[in-house]
Structure formats: C-alpha cells, structure tokens
Amino acid sequence: MIDARGGQSLTTGSLEAAEQYQLAVDRILGSETGAAEALDRALVLDSDLALALAARYMLAKDANSADADGFKERALMAAEAALPWERAHILALFALLEDPYSNLAATEAYIAGNPSDLLVISQLCGYLIFYGGARKLERVLRIMESVDPSLHDDWACLARLGFATSEAGDRNRGRVLVERALRQRPQAPYVIHSYAHVLHDQGKPEESLDLLGNWLNEHRLSAEGGAMYGHVQWHLALAEWQLGLAEQAWQRYERYCAPEKTRCGPVLTLADCGGFLLREYLRTGTTRPVSAAVSALSERFRSMLSHPFIALHLAGIQASAGDLASLEQSRAAIATREPSDQTRLSLCLVDAIGQFARGQYADAAESLKSVSVDQRISVGGSRVERILIDLLEARAVELAA
C-alpha cells in the first residue's frame, strides 16, 4: 500500500488497515471527529501497524488518556520492523510531542528532508503559533512554503498555508488559498477555522457571520462533539460581538465555548475563555463572577504565568471577575521568576490589565504603549490575540481621555 500524500510504501499486509490509517490522518489534519476510531479499526486489522500506533499515541497523549504510554511502547516496538522513513517519522513526531522546545531545530531539519510529512509539519507549526516568539510569522510561513510541491494543491496544506500567509500579512492571498481548501474539504473544522481567521484578519465580521452560520447549519451533525467545534462556535460569537450582537454572542459563548461546554484542548479553552471574557469586560466595564470550571481552568495554568500568552488570558479572566487580589497574586508570581524577555512581557501585560481593572486607565495605556509590534507577536497565538491587546490599549486611551 502506498501512502496517498507521501507516495511511500506502508509496512502492512492489510490494504484495509492502511486505508483506515490514511482516513485517520485526514481526520486529524481536518480536526474532524472519528480519527481515533479509524486508527482503532486499523489496529484491529494489523496490530503492528507502526504509523497507526504512533498516531494513536499522539491522540491519546493530547487527550491525557491513561493508555497513551501503551501506544507509545507498541509503536516503538513495531517501528523496529518498519521502513526507514516510517521510523524517522515516528521518532520525529515523538520527539516533538515529548519536548517540542528542545527538538525544534531537529524537527525543522527532519521536515527539510521530508517535506511531505504534513502530520509532523502541522504539529510543528501548531507549536510555533503559540510559542514561536517574535519571528514566528515568517518562520511558520517559510515552513509551509517549503512543503513538497506535490502537496501544493492538497487541502490540508492549503488551509495551513493560507492561515500562515494571512498571519504574515498577505490576507488576500491567504483567503484565496483557504477558499481552495474549503472547496476540497468543506466538512473540515480546521479549514473553516482557518477561513474564520482570515476573515478576522481582513476585518470582515459580516462575512464571517454568514460563512460560519451557514457552515454550522450544514455540518453541525458531523462537527458536533469534535475538539474544534466549540472554537468554531467561538469565532461565530466573536463575529457577533464585533457586530454589536452582544447578548447573542454571550449566549453562544455560554452554550458552546465556555470551559463547561467546549471539548477544545486546555490552551485553546483558556484562549477562548479569557479572550471572550476580557472583550466583554472592556465593552461593558461590568464584572461577572466566574464559574467553578473557569476557576479550575485558571488554577491549571497558574504555574505558567511567565508565558505572555497565559498571562494575558489568565489576567483577562481575573479582571473580568473584578478579582484584584488574584491579579496581584499573578503579578507577584511572575515577579519571582528569573528575569527574561518573556517574563518581563508577562509582567507588563498583567500590570496593564491590573491598572485597567483599578481604573488607572492612563497608566494602563502607558504600559501598553511600550509593548512593541514584535513583542505583541511574541505573546503567542494568532492575530486574534494581538487585536485583543490593541483593544485593551484603545479602551484604556479612550477612558483616560
């Protein structure tokens, strides 16, 4: 059996097992439901299919499942009898999953020699989007531009290249690329999510409202229950919020996107929660008590406050609740960390949000004025986060006047 994307042979005696593996990869790249089930079917047919075991480990680890280590051990054992390219893929994927920061250079070297390995490429770019620093926009775009030319019309590549292109500033080209991906794979939550980002970058919430509403009406049954479903709903809530449909946006957030409801991973859940609550607080100035689930989510990330992305969203939650004591505790926790560019930026963001929450709007505006464009990029996440910082600064300036 030949791998559909890479054109390389797969080590298995079962054609159906190979087909189920490739179906699972499509579902992983599309953030679609049913990937784990497809891998499980593949492993029933061939329990030693190393690539399926590796992918199953990736999903189990992401879900914090108790059986993750078992899949890892089986994958490494099966890799001993697999082809060299399969072993290289598994080792690169596992290194990135286990310690992405220490293995960034090795992973980039791997994909330079294996430019059709979209599974590893997507994992690497996903990490860089959150933690790639000030040069991440160019870095992610360069990686996606280097993908094997044979995949330049592949929907999974197009969606990621379009996202990266828009993030790096060429929003019109990014939109064209994502639209091509959507025509090929209209049911994929990842693709519609990329499109939502492009429309947000273009400042077109009306189009986003129509696009996402129509997509959810058509694909709700297949998308509901998937890890990306709540985040797609969040983008629709964001478009509603931008258009002044505040109550509608709030109801959508509570129904689909809040930590009690979403099935997104913890980092994306924090971003959706903190980003929405802070925006609504900036709009109204009204504080709301947080739920037990939000408190639990906040506690989970308290030890990671030295990362600006975490600091921004956690402080946003605290400000939205009027919890000045927790904001002070967050500031104190960051101040105890070893000084670095990242910890200083985290401290600046928490200071600015705390000043805003205390009504010290001129001080908040002054604090944010010192945050450069490169620093705003290095916060992590997408342009959605950079616009959130811009909104905070603009609102502080407005209220200070």
Side-chain angles (χ1 to χ4, degrees), residues 313-337:
H313 291 97
L314 196 53
I317 291 170
Q318 293 163 348
S320 77
D323 191 350
L324 300 181
S326 288
L327 278 166
E328 283 300 319
Q329 290 169 9
S330 293
R331 189 193 190 285
I334 298 168
T336 63
R337 304 297 173 87

Side-chain angles (χ1 to χ4, degrees), residues 43-55:
L43 292 170
V44 168
L45 294 161
D46 181 352
S47 61
D48 293 321
L49 180 48
L51 294 179
L53 288 164

Side-chain angles (χ1 to χ4, degrees), residues 32-34 187 189 214-226 229 233:
E32 299 167 33
T33 57
Q187 76 272 28
N214 291 335
W215 188 88
L216 284 165
N217 286 337
E218 184 174 356
H219 298 288
R220 185 184 305 272
L221 289 178
S222 63
E224 205 166 20
Y229 181 71
Q233 289 278 9

Side-chain angles (χ1 to χ4, degrees), residues 244-252 254 280 283 288:
L245 304 171
E247 188 57 33
Q248 188 172 316
W250 181 257
Q251 290 176 5
R252 185 178 303 280
E254 288 193 309
E280 185 63 4
R283 185 183 71 83
R288 302 174 186 250

Side-chain angles (χ1 to χ4, degrees), residues 187-208:
Q187 76 272 28
Y190 184 89
V191 178
I192 199 70
H193 155 259
S194 295
Y195 205 162
H197 273 275
V198 172
L199 291 177
H200 184 268
D201 290 351
Q202 289 185 319
K204 296 184 176 181
E206 299 92 345
E207 288 191 45
S208 194

Side-chain angles (χ1 to χ4, degrees), residues 96 99-109 124 127-128 131-132 139:
L96 190 61
D99 188 354
Y101 183 79
S102 297
N103 288 293
L104 288 179
T107 307
E108 289 195 66
L124 173 61
Y127 177 84
L128 291 174
Y131 306 111
R139 193 174 182 182

Side-chain angles (χ1 to χ4, degrees), residues 352 355 360-370 392-393 396-397 400:
Q355 289 160 345
Q360 299 167 342
Y361 304 121
D363 292 338
E366 190 64 27
S367 293
L368 291 170
K369 184 180 178 181
S370 68
L392 175 61
E393 182 177 13
V397 169

